[in-house]
Amino acid sequence: MTGVLILGGTGDARRLASALAGSCRVVSSLAGRVREPLLPPGEVRIGGFGGVAGLVSYLRSEEFDAVVDATHPFAAQMTLHAVAACSRLGVPLLVLQRPGWVSVPGDHWVRVPTLADAAEVLPSLGHRVLLTTGRQGVGVFAGSDQWFLIRTVDPPSAVLPPHSEVLLARGPFTRADEVALLRSRHIDVVVTKDSGGSATYPKLEAARELGLPVLMVNRPPLPAGVDTVATPEQAMGWLATKSGVGGCPHHS
């Protein structure tokens, strides 16, 4: 049966799965790092593949005609595995990745390449930190002396900074609520990843309004030569170019 594997976990992945539903077999694969993920329509598998070899085996057994990597922009290892596995089998691969954020007048962003760099630069920017880099990156800041408000969807499992508070919350957030949060905790610097999208952008608007610096971790670069699009609609168009009907490819 004609089928598309979506490496998901993002809002764009869910929107693509919804758009493809009913036109072909769609399987969305989630990493399983969020306790209660928002599930897309269609078939869902949760958990890793066991590296490149495991993904090759899965693609071969399920006979997918195309793979869309719509994982988080910072899921670099999954993207590398997808490139290697699809290249080995000759399966078309598309990376669906929303555009990164772009600063505007009034923003005070300091960009760094990695979380480790962020931890090194942070002391020069502020003392009370809103940290929104995801629960897996919290441990990088365990040795910091600043006070942290750590906002994540699920509780962090890493060692926390000695002066910290955990706030469990899932976006979308509003600008007014973000301003109120920053003021109530006396935040003087925001640390985040360049995830892009609108759901968590209001924290950047709030930082701009309050004149706060933002320490922004840049995205890892995508592998060279990979087809990329920025929206689910563009992904549908790409799938249609693979000799598909209704957005889905079929066996040639």
Side-chain angles (χ1 to χ4, degrees):
M1 177 184 292
T2 298
V4 176
L5 174 64
I6 300 176
L7 304 175
T10 61
D12 283 341
R14 290 188 293 274
R15 284 188 284 276
L16 179 59
S18 296
L20 290 173
S23 63
C24 64
R25 180 187 180 216
V26 180
V27 178
S28 296
S29 177
L30 309 181
R33 291 173 180 157
V34 177
R35 255 189 331 199
E36 297 180 5
L38 300 174
L39 297 179
E43 295 180 50
V44 177
R45 72 173 299 279
I46 295 178
F49 293 97
V52 174
L55 181 53
V56 166
S57 177
Y58 181 74
L59 292 175
R60 185 178 285 131
S61 66
E62 297 293 327
E63 298 185 343
F64 289 107
D65 302 297
V67 176
V68 178
D69 175 5
T71 54
H72 192 276
F74 284 81
Q77 185 179 56
M78 187 67 252
T79 299
L80 290 174
H81 288 180
V83 169
C86 289
S87 176
R88 189 176 302 179
L89 295 177
V91 176
L93 170 67
L94 176 71
V95 173
L96 166 56
Q97 190 174 100
R98 61 198 180 217
W101 289 315
V102 178
S103 61
V104 301
D107 286 330
H108 176 204
W109 293 2
V110 177
R111 288 187 172 270
V112 293
T114 68
L115 276 173
D117 293 306
E120 186 173 333
V121 172
L122 182 57
S124 66
L125 296 177
H127 303 284
R128 292 184 64 85
V129 185
L130 172 62
L131 183 65
T132 64
T133 57
R135 68 186 184 92
Q136 290 187 305
V138 171
V140 175
F141 300 90
S144 300
D145 291 330
Q146 285 80 11
W147 183 88
F148 290 83
L149 177 61
I150 302 167
R151 185 168 68 190
T152 62
V153 175
D154 291 325
S157 55
V159 175
L160 301 181
H163 313 293
S164 60
E165 172 190 347
V166 175
L167 175 62
L168 300 182
R170 189 200 301 261
F173 304 102
T174 68
R175 175 173 176 165
D177 286 344
E178 296 290 66
V179 168
L181 178 67
L182 295 177
R183 282 178 169 159
S184 69
R185 302 303 203 283
H186 306 289
I187 299 299
D188 58 13
V189 59
V190 176
V191 181
T192 191
K193 292 178 175 178
D194 187 5
S195 300
S198 60
T200 62
Y201 183 74
K203 68 189 169 194
L204 303 178
E205 296 177 310
R208 184 187 313 137
E209 180 176 328
L210 298 177
L212 304 182
V214 175
L215 187 51
M216 182 80 67
V217 180
N218 287 334
R219 297 176 174 187
L222 288 171
V226 178
D227 289 347
T228 62
V229 295
T231 69
E233 293 74 22
Q234 292 171 338
M236 293 285 288
W238 180 89
L239 287 167
T241 67
K242 303 302 173 185
S243 303
V245 178
C248 281
H250 62 65
H251 291 294
S252 58

